[in-house]
Amino acid sequence: HGVEEEDSYTIANLRLTYFAEDSSWSIAAFVNNVTDEEYRQFGLSLETVTTGINNAFAPPRWAGVTLRYDWN
């Protein structure tokens, strides 16, 4: 008791990076959780303290850009 089952799921992340010819800098665009899948990262049974299970869900789809520069 206290165990929950979850359907299987697939997560896809994308990243596209451009590197400068001299490798001194790069820029990348990314999208994590492309399909915006809702899934539980973990569940913690708190039934000895309270009722139910405390669930932690993964972040929804999110995107961003990173810029890297090598000072050397």
Side-chain angles (χ1 to χ4, degrees):
H1 103 359
V3 175
E4 290 186 8
E5 292 185 15
E6 188 164 347
D7 293 335
S8 62
Y9 56 87
T10 300
I11 302 302
N13 300 321
L14 301 175
R15 182 177 193 88
L16 179 64
T17 305
Y18 173 80
F19 294 95
E21 285 188 33
D22 64 359
S23 297
S24 64
W25 62 273
S26 66
I27 187 166
F30 66 89
V31 180
N32 290 342
N33 194 3
V34 173
T35 59
D36 201 21
E37 184 74 30
E38 183 179 89
Y39 63 99
R40 184 177 43 203
Q41 288 182 312
F42 69 89
L44 178 63
S45 175
L46 300 174
E47 291 179 339
T48 58
V49 179
T50 184
T51 60
I53 296 177
N54 186 13
N55 293 308
F57 289 90
R61 174 178 40 235
W62 61 291
V65 175
T66 59
L67 178 62
R68 182 194 61 83
Y69 183 80
D70 186 1
W71 297 96
N72 294 325

